[in-house]
Amino acid sequence: MVTKALIEGSIKGCGKFHKTSIFPCGIFQCMKGVNRKPEDPNYDLFKLALKSTSLRLYPNYANVDWSNAAGYDPENPCTYFSTMGCRTANLADINADDPKLVQLKDGRGNISPVTIIMPTLAMQAKEKVLAEQDKANAKSIDWKEGEVEYRSIEAFMKLLDKKINEARDMLLERFDWQCSQPAKSAKFMYENGTMYGYKPEEGIRSALKHGTLAIGQLGLAETLQILIGKDHTADEGMKLAIKIETLFKEKCAKFKKDNKLNFGVYYTPAENLCYTAMKKFKEKYGEIKNVSDHEYFTNSMHVPVWKKMTPFEKIDIESKLTGFSSAGCITYVELDAGSINNIDALEDLVNYAMDKDIPYFAINVPADSCEDCGWQGEINGNCPKCGSNKIQRLRRVTGYLTGNYTTAFNLGKQAEVENRVKHNGLEA
Ligand SMILES: [Zn+2]
């Protein structure tokens, strides 16, 4: 009844023009045997959620059956997989006091993130190798075909390994500083049990040790372009992508064990960094095709937004990498206004993503509204009903929505939203 009321509220919208509410972020937990199939007891809620998504972009879909979320307590919904809205996730807690609370979600958080700008490392690696090649040429030593590529990958992996170690050191330093703060710095949280595990006699470390230390990444697609001239939409690019993600995963697993803290791989949204990092990159390296010919780096390991493909193909590609993540990720697809009336197709899409083991899935549909008359839909110029040019353009720029992406986000993310192609072929 509560879930039904919440979703109905989301569908109805806020205020006299029934606008889409931007917060709180709605997340629907999909669970086998509960709400996935017509014979499941809460299937009606899944259908209602899909209707809300088609109109309001919310809810997003969390996959309780995600393989990395295994070990939850079926008797305790506080341990069922969900995210913190944007995408941050807390998975197995190495400091859980009780084996039944290993996958506890409530009362834990992302303590700090550090993001590695991978395309810059790839350029540093490649430039080093090209300089080596020049030296070899000067001595009339010929390099074999593919030698630059091979050596660049080796140099990049070595540099990445070093940067992941530095990220760990930065996170540990920040963690110690955070733990040295008194409980009164967030008095309400600690006094009211908002943070799980807090013991006054031990200080706030007793609570923060259950949270996540996130090692993030930016621009996998551009990194692959620099190293091998193609991204992970090609098989060869995917092979290298898996090698890179395996390094992140193995190192985070080791840090977790060594430091008894929850280090995890984070697929960073980089709301501001996607733009500022690109600006610096361009100043240094100029415009390189498929690498720096945009205003932003591609979000984490996402497929570049300008690639044309069906939503199913996008899910197929990203699902090969989401399993490496343990501190949060999101996969989303862009649909056109026509999908609003096709709830069955949206259902197929969400089910497809869940069955492909995507942990957190969202669907973007155009949700513009006229601020004068309240008309809603995709508005390309002025309002089709009253002609007003006061249009609120709601878009998902990260995991949650933003009121008006043209004023709430930087030039990089604005350009990304404008470059996004619609993933057509929903009925395929
Ligand atoms: Zn209007």
Side-chain angles (χ1 to χ4, degrees):
M1 285 170 73
V2 171
T3 307
K4 187 165 178 265
L6 276 169
I7 303 173
E8 281 172 348
S10 167
I11 291 170
K12 193 175 167 202
C14 288
K16 67 174 174 180
F17 289 145
H18 300 280
K19 284 189 168 180
T20 296
S21 87
I22 293 167
F23 280 103
C25 172
I27 303 175
F28 188 86
Q29 289 172 297
C30 288
M31 193 177 191
K32 280 182 187 159
V34 174
N35 52 30
R36 291 279 308 274
K37 297 271 166 353
E39 60 272 24
D40 293 342
N42 290 340
Y43 178 70
D44 58 325
L45 296 178
F46 183 34
K47 275 286 192 190
L48 197 62
L50 291 162
K51 186 183 170 194
S52 176
T53 299
S54 75
L55 299 166
R56 306 294 185 184
L57 288 85
Y58 285 158
N60 304 336
Y61 296 85
N63 188 357
V64 174
D65 303 297
W66 185 32
S67 51
N68 284 8
Y72 66 82
D73 176 6
E75 301 299 319
N76 182 1
C78 296
T79 66
Y80 295 177
F81 178 72
S82 190
T83 72
M84 292 168 57
C86 63
R87 71 186 61 189
T88 298
N90 290 281
L91 286 152
D93 180 7
I94 195 164
N95 293 314
D97 308 316
D98 173 347
K100 283 191 159 181
L101 295 179
V102 163
Q103 289 286 7
L104 182 73
K105 301 292 171 264
D106 294 13
R108 298 171 61 202
N110 181 2
I111 305 303
S112 304
V114 165
T115 293
I116 297 173
I117 305 162
M118 294 199 292
T120 309
L121 301 186
M123 280 309 286
Q124 285 169 1
K126 198 169 178 181
E127 286 199 326
K128 184 175 153 268
V129 171
L130 290 174
E132 285 168 11
Q133 191 189 29
D134 281 348
K135 272 190 199 157
N137 283 343
K139 291 183 197 158
S140 304
I141 303 167
D142 272 343
W143 278 15
K144 290 192 295 277
E145 206 193 313
E147 183 104 11
V148 170
E149 199 175 287
Y150 168 76
R151 287 192 188 212
S152 297
I153 293 170
E154 292 295 298
F156 169 77
M157 295 302 291
K158 227 172 120 183
L159 197 53
L160 181 62
D161 190 286
K162 183 170 162 252
K163 291 291 161 186
I164 296 175
N165 285 344
E166 286 173 18
R168 169 204 56 196
D169 296 345
M170 289 160 80
L171 288 172
L172 286 174
E173 191 181 337
R174 279 158 72 177
F175 184 73
D176 282 340
W177 187 86
Q178 286 167 312
C179 290
S180 74
Q181 303 305 301
K184 70 174 192 318
S185 62
K187 203 163 177 281
F188 180 88
M189 288 202 308
Y190 293 109
E191 279 180 358
N192 294 280
T194 312
M195 294 291 279
Y196 165 73
Y198 174 59
K199 296 185 185 77
E201 65 282 9
E202 289 176 25
I204 67 171
R205 190 184 176 95
S206 55
L208 297 187
K209 70 180 182 185
H210 299 290
T212 297
L213 300 177
I215 299 190
Q217 56 179 272
L218 177 64
L220 176 68
E222 289 83 0
T223 303
L224 298 171
Q225 287 284 356
I226 294 166
L227 294 173
I228 59 170
K230 47 189 82 129
D231 61 33
H232 50 312
T233 56
D235 290 344
E236 204 189 331
M238 181 55 82
K239 226 175 116 188
L240 180 53
I242 287 172
K243 185 179 161 119
I244 292 170
E245 300 309 334
T246 302
L247 180 70
F248 271 97
K249 188 183 171 181
E250 290 178 353
K251 294 205 63 113
C252 282
K254 187 174 182 308
F255 297 163
K256 187 170 178 174
K257 221 170 130 223
D258 290 352
N259 298 283
K260 216 168 173 264
L261 287 170
N262 298 310
F263 280 91
V265 182
Y266 181 49
Y267 289 153
T268 314
E271 286 99 335
N272 290 311
L273 188 65
C274 76
Y275 175 64
T276 53
M278 176 58 94
K279 227 175 129 201
K280 281 188 185 160
F281 185 96
K282 277 189 188 178
E283 280 164 19
K284 196 159 180 198
Y285 302 112
E287 196 173 301
I288 304 169
K289 192 168 181 283
N290 293 327
V291 175
S292 53
D293 51 357
H294 290 89
E295 295 304 314
Y296 51 90
F297 281 123
T298 297
N299 188 323
S300 62
M301 56 44 155
H302 282 179
V303 168
V305 296
W306 58 86
K307 290 263 173 179
K308 286 199 172 75
M309 59 180 60
T310 70
F312 300 100
E313 287 167 329
K314 187 169 192 282
I315 291 167
D316 284 344
I317 293 168
E318 293 185 6
S319 70
K320 290 183 181 139
L321 299 174
T322 50
F324 291 94
S325 144
S326 51
C329 64
I330 187 169
T331 285
Y332 40 65
V333 296
E334 304 287 323
L335 302 180
D336 57 29
S339 57
I340 292 170
N341 303 315
N342 197 345
I343 305 288
D344 290 344
L346 294 186
E347 182 179 348
D348 287 346
L349 200 53
V350 175
N351 277 327
Y352 188 82
M354 297 297 121
D355 290 340
K356 281 274 170 173
D357 211 27
I358 292 275
Y360 189 41
F361 183 66
I363 298 170
N364 295 336
V365 291
D368 300 330
S369 60
C370 173
E371 295 194 339
D372 284 329
C373 77
W375 194 91
Q376 287 176 13
E378 185 169 21
I379 306 177
N380 290 314
N382 289 2
C383 171
K385 193 178 159 195
C386 76
S388 166
N389 61 3
K390 278 164 70 186
I391 309 298
Q392 184 198 47
R393 298 183 192 282
L394 206 59
R395 293 291 185 277
R396 181 192 316 279
V397 178
T398 60
Y400 39 77
L401 305 180
T402 167
N404 191 340
Y405 81 92
T406 57
T407 52
F409 274 89
N410 67 42
L411 294 172
K413 279 290 182 202
Q414 284 179 40
E416 191 218 275
V417 169
E418 274 147 28
N419 288 162
R420 287 179 186 179
V421 295
K422 300 271 196 271
H423 299 111
N424 293 319
L426 194 57
E427 272 101 271

